[in-house]
Amino acid sequence: MMRGNTVREQDIAESTLGTRRGEFRAVAFADGAEHLALVHGPLPRDDVLVRVHSECLTGDVFGAVRCECGEQLHAALDAIVAEGSGVLVYLRGHEGRGIGLVAKVRTHVLQDEHGLDTVDSATTLGLPVDVRDYGPAARVLWHLGVRSVRLMSNNPDKIAALESHGIRVAARVPLLAPASPHNIRYLTAKRDRLGHVLPQVDAFDVAES
């Protein structure tokens, strides 16, 4: 397991990963769960373009439209390739903001059948709203030699979490997926209840009014 800002050699494995977007260095590492960092191009020490992405099986793999997770994942990879350099850290065990897949699907039932939002559907089940740990992301970035990042995120809490683990966030890069009738309730809750910066929600409201 990892300790502080270090990664033990027995807890990490690296290989080349060819993808439709190009070639990445795949850095798999164990820190509670097993996670993956995709590294593209030569990395500078500072101001690296980075996405720290929480696992979302329904959105990332199956293209669910009730959230914007899959769209953010693909947009972040495209941005890193266009930049010629960057890192995407994929954190497993973050499903449903850390409550797990079974519990997340239960919250979907409450959202669909009772009109609860993503926050109230969790608390109604006695679950926490967000228990994600971003320490593993900070530790693998430290292992890669990254000390400051331009973070692709709409979530101010993620910035605070990385900085609390010693990674300076030099800039926040918005990563906005279009609002739609399918995801607007979810995006609105993230803006109003969780403090995410989502100007596309306002634009959608104006367009629909």
Side-chain angles (χ1 to χ4, degrees), residues 42-79:
L43 295 181
R45 178 185 175 92
D46 297 309
D47 299 351
V48 179
L49 186 64
V50 168
R51 167 68 177 169
V52 176
H53 190 88
S54 293
E55 177 184 29
C56 175
L57 181 69
T58 51
D60 298 341
V61 176
F62 299 113
V65 294
R66 71 191 304 145
C67 68
E68 85 277 42
C69 302
E71 291 172 281
Q72 288 184 310
L73 174 64
H74 296 297
L77 287 169
D78 288 342

Side-chain angles (χ1 to χ4, degrees), residues 68 154 175-179 184 187 197-205:
E68 85 277 42
N154 309 315
L175 192 62
L176 303 174
I184 187 61
L187 294 177
V197 184
L198 299 170
Q200 77 271 40
V201 174
D202 296 326
F204 181 88
D205 292 341

Side-chain angles (χ1 to χ4, degrees), residues 43-128:
L43 295 181
R45 178 185 175 92
D46 297 309
D47 299 351
V48 179
L49 186 64
V50 168
R51 167 68 177 169
V52 176
H53 190 88
S54 293
E55 177 184 29
C56 175
L57 181 69
T58 51
D60 298 341
V61 176
F62 299 113
V65 294
R66 71 191 304 145
C67 68
E68 85 277 42
C69 302
E71 291 172 281
Q72 288 184 310
L73 174 64
H74 296 297
L77 287 169
D78 288 342
I80 287 169
V81 170
E83 177 97 355
S85 175
V87 183
L88 185 136
V89 183
Y90 194 89
L91 294 178
R92 301 176 67 209
H94 276 206
E95 192 76 52
R97 296 190 299 274
I99 63 174
L101 183 60
V102 171
K104 184 177 85 167
V105 172
R106 288 176 177 154
T107 69
H108 289 173
V109 175
L110 292 178
Q111 292 166 33
D112 294 342
E113 296 184 359
H114 299 281
L116 300 184
D117 67 19
T118 185
V119 174
D120 289 337
S121 59
T123 57
T124 295
L125 293 173
L127 300 169

Side-chain angles (χ1 to χ4, degrees), residues 5 134-135 137-138 141-142 147-149 151 156-172:
N5 284 332
Y134 294 106
L141 289 170
W142 195 269
R147 298 298 178 263
S148 69
V149 301
L151 185 67
D157 289 343
K158 194 177 292 185
I159 295 172
L162 285 182
E163 292 195 325
S164 74
H165 288 283
I167 298 295
R168 185 174 70 87
V169 179
R172 183 184 70 83

